[in-house]
Amino acid sequence: MKKRYMGLMKINNTIIRVAITVVLICFTILSFIYINPEHSEKNISASVRKQYVTDKKEIEWIENHPTIKIGYTEKNLPFCDKDESGNLTGMLKDITGDIFRNIYMEDRINFEFQSFSSSADMQNALVEGKIDAAFPFVYDRENYEKIGVSESQEIIKVPVALIFKGDYRDTLFDKIAITPRPVQRFCVDNLFPDSDVVNVKTGEDCLRAVQSGKATCTIITNVRLNPLFAKFDFSEFKLLPVDADISYCIGTKDEELRDIINIGLGTLDKPYISNVMYSYVDSDLSYSFLDFIKKYYLTITLIFVIVVGGIVFLITRENIKNRRILAETEERLKIINTLDQDYISIFVVNTKTEIAEALKLEGTVSVGSGNKKKSFPYKQVCEKYISVCVHPGDSAALAESIKLKNVTGELSERKQYIGTYRVMKNKETMYFQYRFVRIPDTDYIIAGFKDINEIMQKEKSQKKLLEDALEMAETANNAKSVFLFNMSHDIRTPMNAIIGFTDLLHKHLDEREKAENYINKIKVSSDFLLSLINNVLEMARIESGKMTLNETCWNINKFYSMVFSVFETQIEEKNIDFITKIDIEHTDIMIDETKAREIFINIISNAVKYTPAGGKITVEITELPAEIIGQALYRTIITDNGIGMSADFLPHLFEEFEREHTSTESKVSGTGLGMPIVKKLVELMNGKINVDSQPGAGTRFIVELPHHFVWRDSQEVRNDTDVSDDFSITGLRILLAEDNELNAEIGITILEEAGFVVEHAKDGLECCNMLEKASDNYYSLILMDIQMPNMNGYEAVRKIRAMNNSKKSSIPVIAVTANAFEEDRKNAFDAGMNGHISKPIKTELLLSELKKVLKRDIFI
């Protein structure tokens, strides 16, 4: 079998490739020209069309089989396949209709087409009687007789080509690459039965197998060969025609149906069937064929000129141009209709005739022949649209922008021309966009109009957000600058005093009166500096949202008495008339004592500072009804006759770092944070604050805070009492856990001067070890720093509370820490501590807390 092809290899391979290419192009062009309904009719012999099915058996068969089930294989164009809607397409669809139409049986028979994924599945369905006929069948009568299948007469023959690389050789047929298609398997089994088969999925894979050397050759029919020309460089392949054309037919188990089909096939001319087949080849190659032309431009150009020269007289230049324009226009309109559904109106405009054709008006784009289209003079429709719909402020500009000469001028430099304008719709202003796109090499442009109001509104909203964000950033930047300026001034002022008086103190240590004066001024400046730091930290905590309410029971008379007592010394020194008026029914309330005290201390502190000597301050406390049952509204009015504030400054009173006069101007120290803190604390407690003031006439603050009241017999009301002075602390031993040597020295000195015996641990771990080694009751109390190396204060107190010795595990522990916020106090108590003192240490508060805890521990 191999030797029969030896002589054929002397044929020039280049001539073969050119010849095949010419044949394919001719088939394509002839199919384009001749395949249409008119040619179908003309290629049917008039005498044959008059034939009828006269055999009695055949007529009875048709009467008993009004529906014929025909099977076909999927993805098998040009023979058969499914289209996008799942319906049959390919030459089977056309030939089936022609067979029964030409013998006048079309209206007496219904067809049901059933698809199969493989030829084997289709053949099994036919043998089992699930379908009446099947296509395509490779003509192989001997094989089909074995399974009881009858073949129709031959429908079409397809040439077969052998493709390989290099020169012809004895081993050419050793490995043949084939796909699962039965045609290739049929060729191998009948022509090359001794060859090894390399199974691949597609025709492309067959050529790749030959390229890579996995296979020595492949066999492909010419209808499968066409798509491969555009994807492969066939200069590296050689094509050898095989003397074995493949015949295709329809298979059936019913002889009557076979005879009927044969009669119908006899009405069809072979050229007509070829044209039908190649029309589907062409439709499947609409894009790849262009790619093929690009790839082999020089060769194809020469062949194309020769072939087209023979048919150029049959087709006029104008018809070619019109078809191209129509195809390009419809293609672009399909794209617009698919991608730009938001365009409410689309027109195609002829720039020469100045006629606009409406393709979309608040609906779907209309494309293709047979659709009704509306045409208008472009200028007329633009003028009417502008006069009726467009905003008066944009009418003139839009009219000028969309003049046809201006549009064509813009499109001569770019592919599209876009602009925006406003329209009036239901007395509302809305934004629209026009878009003009040119169709290359034609006199047509596409004009689209769409509603972009939502987009513009979003852009405006985003722009407003950006402007607001910019304004906030600038405000924050200004506030930062003000903050740095104020903090620089306010921190340097007390620090200057502290440093200056410290230097003077060194020089005058022997002069007791001067030394005491300097010490007092250092203390005042230190207190102010601490207040400034506390206020800044407090403000930062409030703004971070970490602050929460921690309410306990308090007697309101006791609360206000505690607040007023803070200012007794200052009031006496300035001889201020301080008057209080209290009208309250429920005296026991739930209140966050720390935050409420900070509110009123800040307000009263300002009243005392800014009221001159001999002035007057009045505090009125009144209980009012509240909306919530079990609550009362407590209104506190604080009035002074001090320096007051201007009307211009009042709106900025609660802004951070804002002061009407600096401490340099007013001679009164302040941070500009007190009132913002008050405002935020009042809001945190669901209250309200208002202020009235006039320069030189004084200021009035009105604070309203809601509180739940409690009954005396329902809950113990807090009533802190001072530790009596008769409690002796002399000789009691304290263990001080402090990692900072300077702080430890200060603490030891204060405690020893008060009468305590002090031992020092440098961290929490050392503190626990010293307590474990000591005897019971050796230490009376532990002062515990929080932030320490090795083991912090929280871990240390937990370890102490877990000791097996009950006397040691219950020893009083007081936190002494720079963590001075309310949650720090809570964390200390939650860890198991008995008290909390914040740094910097004030001797009086330290000793008071020590006595309180020690006395409670002793008497408990």
Side-chain angles (χ1 to χ4, degrees):
M1 181 60 68
K2 297 180 182 178
K3 293 181 180 179
R4 62 184 291 189
Y5 295 104
M6 290 288 290
L8 294 174
M9 293 312 300
K10 297 180 180 180
I11 301 173
N12 187 290
N13 290 310
T14 303
I15 296 176
I16 293 175
R17 290 200 300 272
V18 173
I20 292 175
T21 304
V22 172
V23 170
L24 292 175
I25 293 175
C26 290
F27 268 127
T28 301
I29 296 171
L30 291 174
S31 298
F32 175 78
I33 296 174
Y34 290 104
I35 295 178
N36 55 62
E38 293 182 0
H39 282 82
S40 297
E41 295 293 331
K42 291 178 180 178
N43 281 276
I44 299 172
S45 169
S47 61
V48 174
R49 283 178 54 85
K50 294 181 181 180
Q51 292 181 12
Y52 291 85
V53 177
T54 57
D55 188 275
K56 183 177 180 181
K57 290 183 180 180
E58 294 164 356
I59 294 175
E60 288 178 354
W61 192 94
I62 292 175
E63 290 176 350
N64 293 328
H65 296 80
T67 299
I68 298 178
K69 298 179 181 179
I70 301 178
Y72 67 93
T73 52
E74 299 175 3
K75 299 179 181 179
N76 199 10
L77 285 179
F79 303 115
C80 44
D81 195 7
K82 286 183 178 179
D83 61 16
E84 294 179 355
S85 302
N87 299 320
L88 172 66
T89 185
M91 66 180 293
L92 174 62
K93 178 182 177 182
D94 296 338
I95 291 175
T96 303
D98 290 339
I99 288 172
F100 290 90
R101 184 187 307 111
N102 293 347
I103 61 175
Y104 300 98
M105 291 295 165
E106 183 182 23
D107 55 351
R108 299 177 62 181
I109 298 175
N110 294 320
F111 297 101
E112 289 185 4
F113 294 98
Q114 183 175 347
S115 64
F116 293 89
S117 59
S118 68
S119 298
D121 292 342
M122 180 177 69
Q123 178 178 298
N124 292 335
L126 180 62
V127 172
E128 294 171 3
K130 296 180 180 179
I131 55 176
D132 300 312
F135 179 81
F137 264 49
V138 178
Y139 203 85
D140 186 7
R141 176 167 296 174
E142 180 180 348
N143 180 51
Y144 293 134
E145 285 180 353
K146 295 178 182 179
I147 59 176
V149 173
S150 298
E151 298 172 316
S152 72
Q153 69 183 41
E154 174 190 287
I155 296 176
I156 191 168
K157 284 186 177 182
V158 178
V160 179
L162 191 72
I163 300 175
F164 59 96
K165 285 181 64 177
D167 297 328
Y168 184 84
R169 54 197 180 278
D170 292 340
T171 58
L172 180 62
F173 306 98
D174 287 353
K175 293 181 180 180
I176 302 180
I178 63 171
T179 66
R181 295 184 183 276
V183 176
Q184 289 180 302
R185 172 57 67 179
F186 176 82
C187 290
V188 171
D189 291 344
N190 287 274
L191 299 178
F192 312 106
D194 300 328
S195 300
D196 293 333
V197 172
V198 178
N199 292 304
V200 295
K201 293 183 179 180
T202 65
E204 295 179 24
D205 294 337
C206 286
L207 292 183
R208 292 193 183 97
V210 175
Q211 275 184 328
S212 64
K214 291 182 180 179
T216 53
C217 66
T218 184
I219 294 179
I220 299 179
T221 62
N222 70 332
V223 295
R224 304 297 175 196
L225 189 62
N226 285 357
L228 302 176
F229 272 93
K231 298 181 180 179
F232 288 88
D233 182 5
F234 268 74
S235 62
E236 63 177 314
F237 293 109
K238 292 182 180 179
L239 281 73
L240 180 65
V242 177
D243 186 16
D245 294 343
I246 302 300
S247 297
Y248 291 93
C249 61
I250 297 175
T252 177
K253 291 190 68 176
D254 294 292
E255 294 183 0
E256 291 83 355
L257 177 58
R258 180 200 61 191
D259 294 338
I260 293 169
I261 291 172
N262 285 338
I263 293 173
L265 286 172
T267 67
L268 303 179
D269 292 340
K270 295 300 182 181
Y272 167 70
I273 295 175
S274 297
N275 289 338
V276 171
M277 181 184 72
Y278 278 99
S279 69
Y280 287 101
V281 172
D282 293 339
S283 66
D284 195 36
L285 300 176
S286 57
Y287 291 98
S288 60
F289 186 67
L290 291 177
D291 293 336
F292 177 82
I293 292 176
K294 292 177 182 178
K295 194 169 185 180
Y296 298 99
Y297 177 76
L298 295 177
T299 304
I300 298 301
T301 299
L302 178 61
I303 299 172
F304 184 75
V305 169
I306 296 172
V307 176
V308 171
I311 63 172
V312 70
F313 298 102
L314 304 176
I315 303 173
T316 67
R317 183 179 301 173
E318 190 63 26
N319 287 336
I320 296 175
K321 182 177 180 181
N322 289 339
R323 287 189 181 185
R324 179 167 49 82
I325 292 172
L326 179 60
E328 291 177 350
T329 302
E330 291 184 353
E331 183 64 26
R332 282 158 178 79
L333 291 176
K334 289 177 183 177
I335 294 172
I336 292 175
N337 192 43
T338 302
L339 302 180
D340 288 319
Q341 295 295 332
D342 50 347
Y343 276 80
I344 62 174
S345 299
I346 299 178
F347 301 86
V348 60
V349 184
N350 188 319
T351 57
K352 282 191 174 181
T353 63
E354 298 189 5
I355 296 297
E357 192 173 277
L359 299 171
K360 180 180 181 183
L361 292 172
E362 300 285 350
T364 306
V365 176
S366 299
V367 294
S369 59
N371 291 327
K372 295 181 179 180
K373 302 179 181 181
K374 299 179 181 179
S375 298
F376 315 91
Y378 176 79
K379 183 178 179 181
Q380 177 184 330
V381 72
C382 289
E383 290 175 350
K384 184 175 181 180
Y385 174 69
I386 291 172
S387 64
V388 174
C389 301
V390 177
H391 190 283
D394 290 350
S395 297
L398 180 63
E400 185 67 22
S401 298
I402 64 175
K403 280 183 179 179
L404 202 53
K405 66 176 183 179
N406 293 333
V407 173
T408 54
E410 293 289 340
L411 291 179
S412 65
E413 300 177 357
R414 57 178 70 98
K415 291 184 178 180
Q416 57 182 353
Y417 172 44
I418 301 174
T420 60
Y421 61 96
R422 293 171 295 171
V423 302
M424 298 300 298
K425 194 171 184 179
N426 299 327
K427 297 182 179 181
E428 291 185 8
T429 301
M430 303 181 70
Y431 288 87
F432 271 65
Q433 180 189 84
Y434 62 79
R435 180 183 179 188
F436 292 89
V437 181
R438 61 186 172 90
I439 302 177
D441 304 323
T442 71
D443 297 325
Y444 293 91
I445 60 175
I446 296 174
F449 299 84
K450 70 176 179 179
D451 180 353
I452 59 168
N453 194 62
E454 184 177 350
I455 297 173
M456 294 297 292
Q457 294 300 333
K458 286 182 179 179
E459 289 181 355
K460 282 187 174 182
S461 177
Q462 291 175 351
K463 183 179 179 181
K464 181 66 167 58
L465 290 174
L466 290 173
E467 290 174 350
D468 291 345
L470 177 61
E471 183 178 352
M472 290 176 63
E474 290 176 347
T475 302
N477 189 51
N478 292 336
K480 182 178 73 172
S481 299
V482 172
F483 166 75
L484 293 174
F485 177 80
N486 289 334
M487 292 302 294
S488 175
H489 176 272
D490 291 345
I491 290 176
R492 288 176 182 275
T493 299
M495 284 300 300
N496 182 63
I498 292 170
I499 294 171
F501 286 121
T502 301
D503 291 340
L504 291 172
L505 181 61
H506 279 294
K507 294 178 181 179
H508 300 281
L509 287 174
D510 297 333
E511 301 176 53
R512 182 177 181 81
E513 184 176 349
K514 284 186 178 182
E516 289 181 351
N517 180 42
Y518 296 151
I519 290 171
N520 289 333
K521 290 180 178 179
I522 290 172
K523 187 175 184 304
V524 170
S525 298
S526 300
D527 289 341
F528 173 73
L529 185 59
L530 179 61
S531 173
L532 174 63
I533 294 171
N534 286 338
N535 282 340
V536 171
L537 295 177
E538 185 78 3
M539 199 69 205
R541 276 169 38 77
I542 293 173
E543 291 182 344
S544 69
K546 293 182 178 180
M547 185 164 287
T548 57
L549 293 177
N550 183 25
E551 294 184 332
T552 56
C553 295
W554 269 82
N555 181 283
I556 198 165
N557 292 317
K558 174 69 176 177
F559 170 78
Y560 278 106
S561 176
M562 177 189 64
V563 172
F564 299 154
S565 65
V566 175
F567 305 100
E568 287 179 356
T569 303
Q570 294 171 272
I571 290 170
E572 289 178 3
E573 289 176 353
K574 297 182 71 172
N575 193 26
I576 293 174
D577 186 9
F578 192 85
I579 301 171
T580 60
K581 299 177 182 179
I582 299 179
D583 182 12
I584 292 174
E585 178 182 353
H586 302 92
T587 58
D588 300 326
I589 62 173
M590 296 296 292
I591 186 173
D592 188 321
E593 174 264 336
T594 303
K595 297 178 181 61
R597 181 175 59 186
E598 189 167 358
I599 291 171
F600 294 113
I601 285 179
N602 265 296
I603 297 174
I604 297 174
S605 173
N606 282 343
V608 173
K609 284 194 291 185
Y610 294 108
T611 298
K616 179 180 179 181
I617 298 175
T618 303
V619 181
E620 300 176 67
I621 305 144
T622 308
E623 180 180 335
L624 302 174
E627 296 180 357
I628 300 176
I629 298 175
Q631 264 193 5
L633 191 64
Y634 292 84
R635 175 186 289 168
T636 304
I637 302 175
I638 302 168
T639 309
D640 66 66
N641 61 351
I643 64 175
M645 292 175 283
S646 67
D648 292 337
F649 177 71
L650 279 179
H652 305 286
L653 175 63
F654 297 111
E655 295 178 6
E656 298 172 18
F657 307 109
E658 288 290 340
R659 286 181 290 177
E660 187 170 20
H661 305 288
T662 64
S663 57
T664 304
E665 297 170 329
S666 64
K667 307 302 180 185
V668 178
S669 62
T671 65
L673 287 174
M675 286 300 103
I677 290 174
V678 166
K679 173 76 171 176
K680 292 186 181 293
L681 289 177
V682 168
E683 292 174 348
L684 180 66
M685 300 173 74
N686 298 317
K688 297 179 182 179
I689 182 169
N690 292 296
V691 59
D692 298 318
S693 186
Q694 291 183 355
T699 303
R700 182 178 70 163
F701 281 89
I702 303 174
V703 180
E704 293 181 351
L705 297 174
H707 298 292
H708 286 279
F709 51 79
V710 295
W711 306 107
R712 284 185 176 276
D713 56 355
S714 65
Q715 186 170 346
E716 179 184 356
V717 180
R718 180 172 176 178
N719 187 18
D720 287 350
T721 57
D722 295 332
V723 179
S724 60
D725 294 334
D726 59 354
F727 176 69
S728 175
I729 59 175
T730 304
L732 296 180
R733 191 179 304 276
I734 290 180
L735 177 56
L736 174 64
E738 171 64 66
D739 64 306
N740 186 282
E741 293 295 336
L742 186 58
N743 287 341
E745 182 180 349
I746 294 171
I748 292 171
T749 302
I750 293 173
L751 294 170
E752 288 180 345
E753 288 181 354
F756 289 103
V757 176
V758 184
E759 293 186 9
H760 177 216
K762 293 182 180 180
D763 55 50
L765 182 61
E766 186 176 346
C767 174
C768 292
N769 292 335
M770 291 174 68
L771 180 62
E772 284 182 334
K773 293 176 181 178
S775 59
D776 295 349
N777 300 321
Y778 180 75
Y779 297 112
S780 299
L781 183 142
I782 297 176
L783 288 178
M784 183 78 72
D785 187 22
I786 298 300
Q787 295 186 11
M788 295 183 292
N790 299 322
M791 182 183 289
N792 64 41
Y794 295 139
E795 295 171 340
V797 76
R798 292 190 185 100
K799 184 174 182 180
I800 291 171
R801 297 299 181 228
M803 289 182 178
N804 295 327
N805 188 317
S806 60
K807 292 186 177 294
K808 294 181 181 180
S809 65
S810 60
I811 187 172
V813 181
I814 297 176
V816 182
T817 175
N819 301 335
F821 296 123
E822 188 63 32
E823 60 262 29
D824 297 319
R825 290 176 56 84
K826 183 177 182 301
N827 291 337
F829 285 109
D830 289 345
M833 297 187 185
N834 304 89
H836 181 279
I837 299 172
S838 62
K839 295 177 182 179
I841 297 173
K842 291 188 177 181
T843 304
E844 297 81 0
L845 292 176
L846 174 62
L847 296 178
S848 175
E849 185 72 12
L850 286 171
K851 289 180 180 180
K852 186 190 303 182
V853 173
L854 285 168
K855 183 177 180 181
R856 184 167 60 239
D857 181 63
I858 291 172
F859 286 100
I860 289 176

